[in-house]
Amino acid sequence: MRKTATLADIAASVGVTPMTVSRVVNESGYVHADTRQKVLRVMQEMNYRRNGLARGLKRQRTETIGLVVGDVANPFAAEVIRGVREVLTARGYTMFVCVSDQSVKEEAEAFESLADHRVDGMIVATRASRKGNAHLMTLLDANLPVVALGRDFNHPHTDFVSADHFKGGCDATEHLIELGHRRIGFIGIKQSYGAGLKRFQGYLETLRKHGIKVNEDIIVGRRKGTDQAPGYSTEEIGYEGMKYLLGLRKPPSAVFARNDFTALGAISAIKQIGRRVPQDVAIVGFDDVPLASHTSPPLTTVFQPTHEQGRIAAEFLLRRIEAVQNLPRAERVLPCKLIIRESTVSGTEST
Amino acid sequence: MRKTATLADIAASVGVTPMTVSRVVNESGYVHADTRQKVLRVMQEMNYRRNGLARGLKRQRTETIGLVVGDVANPFAAEVIRGVREVLTARGYTMFVCVSDQSVKEEAEAFESLADHRVDGMIVATRASRKGNAHLMTLLDANLPVVALGRDFNHPHTDFVSADHFKGGCDATEHLIELGHRRIGFIGIKQSYGAGLKRFQGYLETLRKHGIKVNEDIIVGRRKGTDQAPGYSTEEIGYEGMKYLLGLRKPPSAVFARNDFTALGAISAIKQIGRRVPQDVAIVGFDDVPLASHTSPPLTTVFQPTHEQGRIAAEFLLRRIEAVQNLPRAERVLPCKLIIRESTVSGTEST
DNA sequence: TATAGATATGTTACCGTTATCATATTGAGC
DNA sequence: GCTCAATATGATAACGGTAACATATCTATA
């Protein structure tokens, strides 16, 4: 294996010191035009590529940030990634994405890897967990700038960006109640695990507000207690969950699903036994994925500004990275928006 | 900002040399049990974290690989990522994902970043392009191990993994022809751009084989010639494309869509004007995303072993990284499988 | 008890880059 | 021609870690 050329190799070939070559590479300091030309030519010839490790080691920053997401198969993650990247590349930073597959262990490994490789900062968009939070703390102890996106993490030196999932959950539930529903199910999380899921809390709170007793029988979660299921199998959860609900003596007349894919799975189950959406069961999703307007019936759902969250998280992070001293915690909670389509309100031609 | 502790700091505190601490950290060589304990304690106290830059610089490898994908919003990319990661973590490697958003420019930047940061190898799963390939060549010149996944890249020292998209395209088209369709449209790529899309070539080839003249009027691509649309907007392309086809004097009786989301968009357009799938128009997708069995009607599509492709790509890459000398090109093309559901064959209760 | 091997630690140098300071050279203005 | 600043380049020393070799102690066995 041929080794890659170094500054020293270039320098030797041109007849200058590595420092001069470094100046050419970084376009810093004074270099004579002729020298620059010669150096550039040789660099080309020798296929020079700078060594980011050495550079990072010396400069004590890598102009690199890490983004940790739990799962990558949904438009939510994709849009977050795009938003973050837009801001970062514009500022000359590179983003490395690590995927935890919703596993706390993998998440920890992602943290370690990114910290080891000395990213300048990190955006964490995985699901919150006790262990994950503990791990994050050790990073913060090492003064690594961190921004939490869409997950709780309360720390005086960590910024926080999220959509208002609680309010979104309220709005979705409120919408169903306004339509006259009283028996409203929830699919996607079990009662006991629901503490961290703001959408679910909004659902509970709104029911209570309207004097509707929360009925645990019509709240269904993942099968078999696995909390590890990758997000993109949520249509499965929606399908199974809805089948269960439809099998009850008194099925709910409306269901709020934790996200759009879960909602689509639920719709599939309803149609399969010949019932109609929304006439027999009304469905509300969450996220407003691009597909939601192209399903049958088109899905009533709660839009969240995903791309914007990514952008803001990136801006928070860069501000923190470039700050001379520790900044106080910044928070930003963006509003969601209920999008009413035909899975709750019978339209002109829902099939 | 407090600096993070270094080996030297630990060493000074314990009263040994950095080398001894290094031995403890790496669990290599001989260290007295007592010394090890002391070192470990101080490491804990000082919150030591090893510097991957320095380590990588000295050892000339980072145990890190880069995965470049074009878009992350579809289950395909997600499964590839999972497959790759499974194999890599088991072997102690870390994976960093870069997303190009289907942009050649961003792709080039991803290559640069990863190469700069001295990943030990790279898996490239973006769409092929002349410029992208040229860029890849410069990496190979620097002896960076590369595996191409699902994209053409012919190079004597680059491995190749893919599903048999061509055969899959043939099977899908064959299926429609067997059902009696002669007027079969394609949505997702324009004729002229189609050269690189094997699925499309399979479609063309199969039509020809059956003596069906290729009709450019019923082959529709992206709107406005943008080739930059992120993958997850493909339902939009399917919807718009189908609307266009339905507006023709003689619409096709069947459509092969470049992927499942495109197919779902097409179905949405058909239903919107009150036509039925498959009775009025039959639809075949590609990929077999989890959602495909939960749509109405459930989608006939071509399954590709995505996860497996990721695993194999990772194995190829590791083999190449750990080889003493340049290995010859390895290739692996995995079979696809036609999954017949109700979007082509009227089932018991398709709505 | 001499001696070889295992155990335990230290020394040195270098990975490739750049910050910092030092030294030449050039040119402009007087 | 002198002076000061701008221009151009070099020398040196890290950044944090580890490979390679050297040295010292301990232990078991002939």
Side-chain angles (χ1 to χ4, degrees), chain A residues 173-182 278 282 284 340 343-345:
Chain A
T173 313
E174 191 81 43
H175 171 59
L176 292 172
I177 293 172
E178 265 172 28
L179 290 171
H181 295 283
R182 306 288 292 174
V284 183
I340 298 172
S343 67
T344 53
V345 181

Side-chain angles (χ1 to χ4, degrees), chain A residues 108-327:
Chain A
E109 278 174 19
F111 290 165
E112 291 297 316
S113 301
L114 290 168
D116 278 4
H117 288 279
R118 291 298 192 267
V119 291
D120 292 339
M122 223 159 83
I123 297 175
V124 183
T126 45
R127 258 189 235 149
S129 70
R130 179 196 301 275
K131 258 187 153 179
N133 285 0
H135 234 285
L136 266 182
M137 288 307 259
T138 70
L139 298 183
L140 288 160
D141 286 347
N143 264 309
L144 183 70
V146 171
V147 176
L149 194 159
R151 68 171 268 166
D152 260 354
F153 184 67
N154 222 313
H155 184 281
H157 296 308
T158 300
D159 302 325
F160 173 72
V161 182
S162 179
D164 195 340
H165 296 276
F166 177 80
K167 183 67 168 29
C170 290
D171 291 352
T173 313
E174 191 81 43
H175 171 59
L176 292 172
I177 293 172
E178 265 172 28
L179 290 171
H181 295 283
R182 306 288 292 174
R183 196 168 166 77
I184 301 170
F186 186 95
I187 301 181
I189 197 147
K190 280 190 228 136
Q191 172 85 0
S192 50
Y193 292 171
L197 192 67
K198 299 273 199 227
R199 300 170 186 186
F200 180 62
Q201 293 178 321
Y203 158 83
L204 294 176
E205 179 61 27
T206 305
L207 289 185
R208 285 199 196 98
K209 195 179 119 193
H210 286 269
I212 301 174
K213 218 182 93 207
V214 172
N215 181 350
E216 290 214 22
D217 296 344
I218 56 174
I219 296 173
V220 296
R222 304 170 177 285
R223 284 176 303 165
K224 295 177 204 155
T226 16
D227 202 42
Q228 304 286 0
Y232 46 86
S233 74
T234 47
E235 40 272 289
E236 202 60 37
I237 291 163
Y239 180 81
E240 298 290 340
M242 195 67 226
K243 267 178 84 169
Y244 168 79
L245 290 177
L246 289 168
L248 293 176
R249 241 180 324 124
K250 257 186 83 182
S253 68
V255 168
F256 176 25
R258 72 173 289 164
N259 65 39
D260 286 347
F261 289 106
T262 307
L264 294 180
I267 289 175
S268 163
I270 295 166
K271 285 183 165 184
Q272 206 197 33
I273 61 161
R275 303 271 172 87
R276 292 161 307 157
V277 178
Q279 292 87 342
D280 297 313
V281 187
I283 300 283
V284 183
F286 208 113
D287 285 346
D288 193 29
V289 301
L291 186 62
S293 57
H294 290 129
T295 53
S296 56
L299 192 63
T300 293
T301 185
V302 180
F303 166 83
Q304 62 161 320
T306 321
H307 188 251
E308 194 63 18
Q309 287 175 69
R311 289 191 63 100
I312 293 172
E315 271 155 19
F316 277 179
L317 186 62
L318 290 182
R319 188 202 298 170
R320 194 165 278 281
I321 288 170
E322 286 163 11
V324 185
Q325 35 175 296
N326 260 342
L327 299 173

